[in-house]
Amino acid sequence: MLLRAAGLPFRLIKSTALGAAYLRLAGLAKRRMKTARQLVHPQTTLTWKISVDLIVETGLPSSGRFSLKSLLIRAITKPDDDSPKITMLNAVTALHMAANDPRVTHLDVRVVPAAGTRNRPVSLGLGFAQTDELLEAVLAFNQKKAEQYESGNWDSSFTIDSFDDQLTYYFASAFNKIVVQPTGQLPLTGISWILPYYKKLLDKVGIEVQTGSRMEYNSASAPFTESDIPEKHMDNGSEILYSLNTVFLDDIVRVRANSIAALREEITDENKDPYRFAHDFMMMTMEKGGPYIDAQMAKRIGLITDAGGTFFDDEGYKVGKCTEIGAYVKARRQEIERESHGTSVLDAMLVKLAQLKRRQEAANMAKLLRTYHSQDRVTVGVVYLHGSIERGGANGGSLVCKALIDAAEDPEVESIVLRVDSAGGDFVASDAIASAVRMVQIKYGKSVVASYGNTAASGAYLATTHCDCIFAGPATLTGGIGVSSMRPVATKRFTDFFELGTRQFTLTGPSTNWHELEGEQLEAFKSFVGKTYDSFITQVVSGRNISEKEAESVAQGQVFTGLQASENKLVDKLGGFVYSVEAAAQCGYETRAHSLRSMTGHYFQSAIASAQRECVADYDPILKDGKYQVPSELDPRVERKVGFPGKIVKAILDKSYLDKFNDPTYKYKADITKNIRIKEFSTSDISTGGLLSLIAKLVGGDLVREAVASALRQERDSIASSLSAVEQPRAEADIMNIK
C-alpha cells in the first residue's frame, strides 16, 4: 500500500499535459548533459598533470573493472592525491591518438609535487627507456600537428618549478615551450652510476662468498667476490654508458639544436653545422656547469624557452576546451568502439544466416564470419612481467604463466604482448614462463610479441627468447645471458668475532652456510651451474635462430643497451610499447586471415560433399588448383543443395571484406589509434580468498578493535547510568564480558 501511495503523484503528473511537458524537458536536459560529457571538442587542449608514481606500467585488467574484487583492490591502492594514475600504454596511446586527432590542437604538461608526500622529487619517476617512449610520442604529436596546422595554431608546452633530475628534462626537451620558475635549476651531468664492492668489508667480518658462475662479466656476484671492478666489467660498463649517453645527448640535440645553435655567433664560427655545434656545446655545458645550471642560464643557451611567470598559473589551460589525458583516451576508445559497430548489409545477412536451422554448416559459417567481421579490428592481450622473477609470491612465474594461458584461451584475443621490465631472477621460474610462451604459440596458435621496458636481462631475457618478435627501446638494458649462484659462508673469523659456537649434525656431511663447500660438493655445485648455463645457451640458440658461436659471443653475462642488442640479434626491432602492440595486431590479423580462408574452404568443401552425388560436375569450379577459394557465384542447383538462400550467399560473396582475404595485394596496417582493442590480463596474486583474508585482517586491526571497544564503552555507560545504584556494578560487569 505504501509503495502504491508513493507512486500515485508520479502517475498523476505523467497523465497530465504538465507531466508530459515535464518529462519532455527532463529528456532534453538529459540529452544536453550527455552532449556536455563529450570530452573532445574542436580546439581541444590535452592537459596532463604528472607527479611521482602517477605513471605506472600496469593497472587493473579492463575486463574486471566493475567486479567486487577490482573495486576493493582499487579502493585499497587508491593514490593519496586527486591526480589519476595512468598506465604507460594509455599515456603513449593517448599522445598518438591526439596526434592523429585534428580536434586536439594543444598539449599542456605540468610536473607537480606529489600531494600528501614530503621530500619526494618533482619528476616523472620513470626509467630511461620509459621516458624515451614518452619523448618519442611527444615528437610524433609535434610532427603531426605541424602537418595539420599552420604555425601558431598548435603548440606543446611543458611547465615545472625546477628540475630535480635530468630524465625529466630529457622528456621536456621534446616540447616547443619549456617553462621553469626563475629560481629553478637544470641538472645535466649525463648518465652514470656507482658500483660498490663489499669484499674487504666481508673479509673483515669473516664472510666468504662462494660462487658458481659461467659468466666472465658476472656483475651480480663480483661486488661480493672482488675488491675492485674487474677489467672486463669495466669494458662492458663503459660501452653501456657510452651507448646510453649517446641516446641521451643525441635526442636532446635533435630537438633543441636550432635554439642552442643561436649562440654560434657569440662563441665560435657561425658557419659550423648547427647539430654539431649543439652537440659539442651540450658536452661542454655538462662538463663545466653540470648540476648547477640555473633557469636564467638555461634560457640563454636555448635549453628552455621561458624562465618567468608563476608556476601555478593556469593560463596554459585556457586555450580552447581542456581535456585531461586519462579522460581523453577513454573517450577516444569509446568513439572508436562506436565507429566499429556499423550496421552493414553483411551484418544483417549474417544474423539471418545464423538463424537458419536447416543446415548446421550454415550457422557455423555465419558465426565464423561474424567473429572475423569486425571492421578489421584486432584484439591484443597484454601480460606483464615485472620485478624480480620468483617461483612464488607477487612476482611468481606461475602467475605470469596463468595470465599467458588465460589470454591464449580467451576467444577474443588474437595475439599477445608480453611486457617485460625485470632484471631476471629464479632460473626455474623464468624457464616456466618461456615454456608457457611456447605453449601459447604451438597449442593455441597465437603469436607472442615481447616488449622490453627499462630492463629485460638474464632470466627475463630467457623467458622471452622464443617470442615471435622482440621490441626494445634504445635505452633498454638487456642481455645478461649467463648463470650465477652465490653461497655466503660464515668463516671462523665470523664466529670468533661474534663469539659464536656451532655444531652441525648431518648424515651426508657439511651442507649449511656455516661450512665451506670442498671437494666433490664444490665440484657438484659448479657442475650444476654449468648445466644450467648450457640450458640457457640452448634456448637462446633455438629461440633466436642463431648459431651457438653467435650466442656465446653475446653471452657470459654481458649486458647491452637496446641499441647494441639490435645490432647483435638479441632483439628484432627498436620500438616502444605501442609499436609492439601494433606488431602483435598485425600478426593476429594474418592469423585471422589464414583461419578465415581455411574455415571458409572447409565449409564449402562440406557443402560440396553433402551434394556431390547429384551434381559433382557443378562444383568443380569452386575448387581451383587444390586450394579453397571463395567462389564469386554459385550455380542455382548447388545453391539449393547447400541449403541457404541465394540472396544471402550473394551478399556474403560480393562483400569486399571477404575479397581482402582472397586478394594477396591487400595490406592490413595495424594502428593503435584506429583498429586495435587492448585487453589486459592481471598477474596479481590477490585472489578472492586473499581479499577476504585482507578484509578480515582490517576488521581485526587495532583501529577497528578500538572503534568497536569505544562504541561498547559508550553503550555500557549509557545503560549503567539508567540503572539503580544497586544494579549498576552487575550490568557493568556483564557488558565488559562482551569483549
Side-chain angles (χ1 to χ4, degrees):
M1 293 294 293
L2 290 175
L3 291 175
R4 291 182 180 178
L8 284 175
F10 176 75
R11 289 198 297 271
L12 180 62
I13 293 175
K14 187 177 179 181
S15 61
T16 63
L18 181 61
Y22 167 79
L23 293 176
R24 175 63 175 168
L25 291 174
L28 291 174
K30 185 176 181 180
R31 280 194 291 273
R32 281 196 299 269
M33 290 178 64
K34 185 176 180 180
T35 303
R37 287 195 296 266
Q38 300 298 320
L39 300 173
V40 188
H41 304 269
Q43 302 294 314
T44 289
T45 295
L46 190 64
T47 64
W48 190 9
K49 284 189 176 181
I50 307 174
S51 61
V52 175
D53 298 333
L54 286 188
I55 305 176
V56 296
E57 269 290 338
T58 175
L60 292 173
S62 57
S63 58
R65 183 181 303 169
F66 300 107
S67 66
L68 174 62
K69 173 181 173 181
S70 298
L71 291 174
L72 286 171
I73 297 175
R74 193 180 293 269
I76 293 170
T77 60
K78 183 179 179 181
D80 295 332
D81 55 352
D82 295 330
S83 301
K85 287 189 175 183
I86 187 170
T87 64
M88 272 293 300
L89 182 58
N90 279 344
V92 179
T93 301
L95 293 173
H96 281 282
M97 286 179 170
N100 291 282
D101 190 346
R103 296 171 297 178
V104 178
T105 57
H106 292 76
L107 173 63
D108 196 316
V109 174
R110 298 190 173 206
V111 179
V112 299
T117 60
R118 297 173 59 187
N119 300 323
R120 297 291 300 277
V122 180
S123 70
L124 304 181
L126 301 176
F128 195 172
Q130 293 171 311
T131 308
D132 180 63
E133 287 190 52
L134 292 175
L135 176 139
E136 294 295 338
V138 173
L139 291 178
F141 177 89
N142 292 343
Q143 181 180 356
K144 286 286 187 180
K145 295 308 166 187
E147 296 172 358
Q148 295 170 4
Y149 296 99
E150 296 179 356
S151 178
N153 294 329
W154 68 275
D155 206 354
S156 61
S157 62
F158 181 96
T159 308
I160 192 171
D161 57 352
S162 180
F163 289 99
D164 287 350
D165 63 81
Q166 55 190 353
L167 283 182
T168 302
Y169 175 74
Y170 173 71
F171 172 59
S173 66
F175 290 79
N176 288 350
K177 293 181 180 178
I178 307 173
V179 182
V180 183
Q181 281 190 191
T183 53
Q185 68 172 0
L186 174 56
L188 282 179
T189 58
I191 307 300
S192 61
W193 60 65
I194 298 176
L195 298 176
Y197 286 81
Y198 307 101
K199 187 177 188 306
K200 291 182 179 179
L201 175 63
L202 295 176
D203 289 343
K204 186 174 292 187
V205 298
I207 298 293
E208 179 182 347
V209 179
Q210 288 186 308
T211 62
S213 176
R214 287 285 299 274
M215 300 196 300
E216 295 184 29
Y217 302 84
N218 183 10
S219 58
S221 60
F224 306 98
T225 60
E226 304 289 342
S227 300
D228 198 358
I229 184 169
E231 183 178 353
K232 289 193 174 182
H233 295 192
M234 175 68 79
D235 294 340
N236 188 216
S238 299
E239 291 173 358
I240 294 171
L241 280 178
Y242 178 79
S243 181
L244 290 177
N245 278 294
T246 298
V247 174
F248 178 77
L249 199 58
D250 286 355
D251 284 345
I252 293 177
V253 170
R254 176 170 42 135
V255 292
R256 311 303 306 175
N258 291 333
S259 57
I260 297 173
L263 297 170
R264 283 182 298 172
E265 296 180 2
E266 301 179 21
I267 298 176
T268 186
D269 184 7
E270 61 181 12
N271 295 321
K272 192 173 184 179
D273 175 67
Y275 181 87
R276 175 50 54 191
F277 172 82
H279 186 278
D280 295 343
F281 184 80
M282 281 289 296
M283 286 294 296
M284 181 184 67
T285 302
M286 288 193 296
E287 291 174 0
K288 295 184 177 181
Y292 305 110
I293 304 173
D294 61 74
Q296 300 295 337
M297 174 61 71
K299 179 183 178 182
R300 194 176 77 83
I301 63 179
L303 296 179
I304 65 175
T305 58
D306 192 1
T310 304
F311 172 60
F312 295 102
D313 185 9
D314 286 334
E315 287 299 322
Y317 288 91
K318 295 181 180 179
V319 181
K321 300 288 185 178
C322 297
T323 300
E324 193 271 332
I325 189 170
Y328 172 77
V329 71
K330 292 179 182 178
R332 281 295 295 135
R333 281 179 173 160
Q334 291 173 359
E335 289 179 351
I336 295 170
E337 193 74 25
R338 289 193 297 269
E339 292 169 1
S340 67
H341 284 81
T343 55
S344 64
V345 177
L346 178 59
D347 289 327
M349 292 298 180
L350 290 176
V351 171
K352 294 181 180 179
L353 180 59
Q355 296 172 349
L356 295 177
K357 303 299 183 183
R358 289 177 294 173
R359 285 280 183 183
Q360 185 61 38
E361 296 92 340
N364 292 339
M365 184 63 180
K367 292 178 182 178
L368 175 72
L369 294 176
R370 284 185 63 79
T371 300
Y372 289 118
H373 179 258
S374 57
Q375 300 295 325
D376 295 346
R377 297 192 70 199
V378 176
T379 299
V380 176
V382 178
V383 177
Y384 295 91
L385 173 58
H386 287 165
S388 178
I389 302 174
E390 304 165 355
R391 294 173 67 186
N395 297 320
S398 58
L399 296 173
V400 179
C401 293
K402 181 180 182 301
L404 284 168
I405 300 304
D406 288 345
E409 292 181 343
D410 192 316
E412 294 182 356
V413 173
E414 298 174 72
S415 56
I416 299 171
V417 170
L418 180 58
R419 174 68 170 181
V420 182
D421 195 353
S422 168
D426 186 82
F427 184 86
V428 174
S430 302
D431 186 46
I433 297 172
S435 299
V437 169
R438 292 195 294 274
M439 179 182 291
V440 170
Q441 294 167 326
I442 297 171
K443 181 178 178 180
Y444 298 95
K446 296 184 179 181
S447 300
V448 182
V449 174
S451 172
Y452 290 170
N454 295 318
T455 309
S458 192
Y461 185 78
L462 169 66
T464 58
T465 50
H466 285 81
C467 288
D468 296 276
C469 188
I470 299 178
F471 281 80
T476 298
L477 294 181
T478 186
I481 301 172
V483 178
S484 177
S485 179
M486 292 185 290
R487 186 177 181 274
V489 178
T491 64
K492 187 175 184 301
R493 179 190 291 269
F494 180 85
T495 57
D496 291 345
F497 183 82
F498 290 100
E499 298 181 354
L500 296 174
T502 63
R503 174 70 65 181
Q504 180 175 353
F505 298 90
T506 177
L507 180 65
T508 59
S511 59
T512 68
N513 294 91
W514 294 94
H515 296 85
E516 190 174 350
L517 293 180
E518 298 177 345
E520 293 182 354
Q521 283 189 330
L522 182 59
E523 290 300 321
F525 174 59
K526 292 182 177 179
S527 175
F528 174 77
V529 173
K531 291 178 180 178
T532 306
Y533 175 81
D534 293 338
S535 175
F536 199 157
I537 291 294
T538 300
Q539 295 210 42
V540 172
V541 169
S542 62
R544 301 304 303 151
N545 194 24
I546 60 178
S547 66
E548 187 173 346
K549 183 178 180 180
E550 289 176 310
E552 284 286 354
S553 67
V554 294
Q556 299 295 327
Q558 297 179 80
V559 177
F560 304 95
T561 64
L563 204 60
Q564 296 170 320
S566 65
E567 298 173 356
N568 56 34
K569 301 181 181 179
L570 287 180
V571 302
D572 296 297
K573 296 181 180 180
L574 289 176
F577 208 165
V578 165
Y579 297 104
S580 61
V581 170
E582 290 179 342
Q586 194 72 40
C587 293
Y589 182 84
E590 292 171 1
T591 302
R592 172 197 293 185
H594 175 74
S595 300
L596 185 56
R597 291 192 197 100
S598 300
M599 294 301 292
T600 303
H602 172 75
Y603 171 71
F604 279 103
Q605 185 185 37
S606 300
I608 293 169
S610 66
Q612 62 182 350
R613 293 185 180 180
E614 298 185 14
C615 48
V616 174
D618 294 329
Y619 292 90
D620 289 342
I622 298 178
L623 298 177
K624 299 178 181 179
D625 301 326
K627 298 180 180 179
Y628 299 143
Q629 297 284 337
V630 178
S632 59
E633 60 181 0
L634 290 179
D635 184 271
R637 288 181 296 169
V638 176
E639 176 188 320
R640 288 194 298 272
K641 296 297 180 183
V642 170
F644 50 83
K647 182 189 297 185
I648 298 179
V649 175
K650 190 174 187 303
I652 294 174
L653 299 181
D654 289 350
K655 186 65 178 176
S656 60
Y657 180 77
L658 287 181
D659 293 340
K660 297 174 186 176
F661 295 105
N662 287 330
D663 181 9
T665 63
Y666 172 74
K667 297 295 182 182
Y668 166 81
K669 182 174 176 55
D671 187 342
I672 198 168
T673 67
K674 297 177 181 178
N675 51 26
I676 299 175
R677 182 187 291 110
I678 304 296
K679 190 169 186 179
E680 295 177 299
F681 291 83
S682 176
T683 54
S684 172
D685 64 343
I686 302 182
S687 60
T688 304
L691 279 174
L692 293 176
S693 175
L694 179 60
I695 294 171
K697 290 180 181 179
L698 290 174
V699 172
D702 294 337
L703 292 177
V704 178
R705 280 201 303 270
E706 180 61 31
V708 172
S710 177
L712 289 174
R713 283 194 295 271
Q714 292 178 5
E715 184 68 16
R716 176 198 64 189
D717 295 341
S718 176
I719 296 175
S721 63
S722 64
L723 296 175
S724 63
V726 178
E727 294 177 335
Q728 183 173 346
R730 179 176 58 80
E732 184 174 358
D734 290 342
I735 296 173
M736 289 296 293
N737 289 334
I738 295 176
K739 285 187 175 181

